[in-house]
């Protein structure tokens, strides 16, 4: 994800070769409409996933993973948040902080205030259950490619151990 990559390069100071792809939800946010939301809600804090475009991140009061956003809303003293990420996270945020006001960040399309990911909605508990039960669909790849792909996963897991 080019946006996440740019964010990580800025945070770490490390150069990366970025894939020119991005999340359709995070690309759809309208900086102009979010700026208007912030003016209309001066007491609100803007929180965002790092997959958002740089302009959104520069205005954000907090940037973090899904779990970090959930924890931030739950623990921060602020009572109103503008949330720049996939709309599905709002349900869990409401459960964790029912007394707080959560406002979905607006997208470019003025006929729709939603930020739902069609691709994420295709995954269901039933499909996950069937996949685990029958171990299907089976994905076969060449052993050399599997081993090459395993390296960054193992590095990531090793790095995550040091964070805890």
């Amino acid at each position: 994800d080019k946006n996440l990559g740019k964010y990580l390069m800025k945070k770490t100071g490390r150069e990366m070769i970025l894939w020119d792809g991005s999340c359709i939800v995070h690309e759809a946010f309208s900086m102009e409409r979010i700026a208007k939301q912030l003016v209309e809600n001066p007491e609100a804090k803007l929180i965002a996933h790092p997959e958002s475009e740089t302009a959104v991140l520069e205005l954000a009061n907090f940037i973090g993973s899904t779990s970090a956003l959930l924890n931030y809303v739950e623990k921060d003293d602020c009572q109103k948040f503008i949330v720049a990420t996939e709309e599905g996270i709002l349900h869990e945020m409401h459960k964790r902080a029912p007394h707080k006001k959560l406002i979905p960040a607006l997208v470019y399309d003025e006929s729709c205030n939603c930020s739902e990911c069609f691709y994420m909605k295709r995954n269901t508990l039933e499909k996950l259950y069937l996949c685990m039960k029958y171990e299907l669909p089976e994905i076969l790849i060449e052993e050399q490619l599997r081993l090459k792909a395993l390296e960054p996963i193992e590095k990531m897991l090793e790095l995550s151990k040091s964070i805890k």
Side-chain angles (χ1 to χ4, degrees):
D1 184 288
K2 65 183 179 182
N3 294 323
L4 176 58
K6 284 183 211 173
Y7 174 77
L8 290 172
M9 285 172 44
K10 182 178 176 183
K11 292 301 269 184
T12 64
R14 299 177 91 178
E15 283 294 314
M16 292 194 232
I17 299 170
L18 302 178
W19 173 62
D20 190 29
S22 58
C23 169
I24 59 169
V25 168
H26 295 96
E27 287 280 313
F29 291 123
S30 165
M31 206 47 254
E32 292 78 19
R33 294 184 80 203
I34 292 173
K36 186 176 178 187
Q37 285 181 296
L38 287 167
V39 168
E40 292 170 352
N41 301 281
E43 70 284 12
K45 287 185 177 180
L46 174 63
I47 61 173
H49 264 154
E51 291 91 340
S52 299
E53 291 184 315
T54 303
V56 173
L57 298 179
E58 287 175 352
L59 279 182
N61 298 96
F62 182 78
I63 301 165
S65 65
T66 298
S67 60
L69 294 179
L70 290 167
N71 289 332
Y72 187 77
V73 166
E74 188 176 7
K75 294 177 179 156
D76 192 78
D77 291 336
C78 185
Q79 296 300 304
K80 190 184 273 191
F81 297 91
I82 298 170
V83 183
T85 192
E86 209 278 335
E87 193 175 81
I89 194 175
L90 293 175
H91 175 73
E92 185 63 27
M93 284 183 178
H94 280 295
K95 283 174 39 182
R96 291 188 184 198
H99 57 287
K100 295 188 178 181
K101 174 91 170 153
L102 305 171
I103 305 166
L106 295 176
V107 297
Y108 286 104
D109 184 353
E110 293 189 26
S111 69
C112 172
N113 289 339
C114 60
S115 55
E116 289 187 349
C117 179
F118 163 78
Y119 300 105
M120 287 176 63
K121 299 299 184 240
R122 292 176 65 187
N123 298 311
T124 65
L125 287 176
E126 179 184 17
K127 288 178 182 177
L128 177 61
Y129 167 78
L130 294 172
C131 179
M132 292 176 73
K133 181 175 180 176
Y134 299 109
E135 298 182 352
L136 294 171
E138 183 177 13
I139 299 171
L140 302 173
I141 60 173
E142 296 173 18
E143 182 64 6
Q144 184 179 5
L145 178 59
R146 184 191 73 79
L147 292 172
K148 191 173 181 181
L150 184 60
E151 288 178 37
I153 293 170
E154 288 176 334
K155 286 180 185 176
M156 180 180 64
L157 292 171
E158 190 62 35
L159 284 171
S160 69
K161 288 179 188 176
S162 64
I163 295 173
K164 293 178 182 177

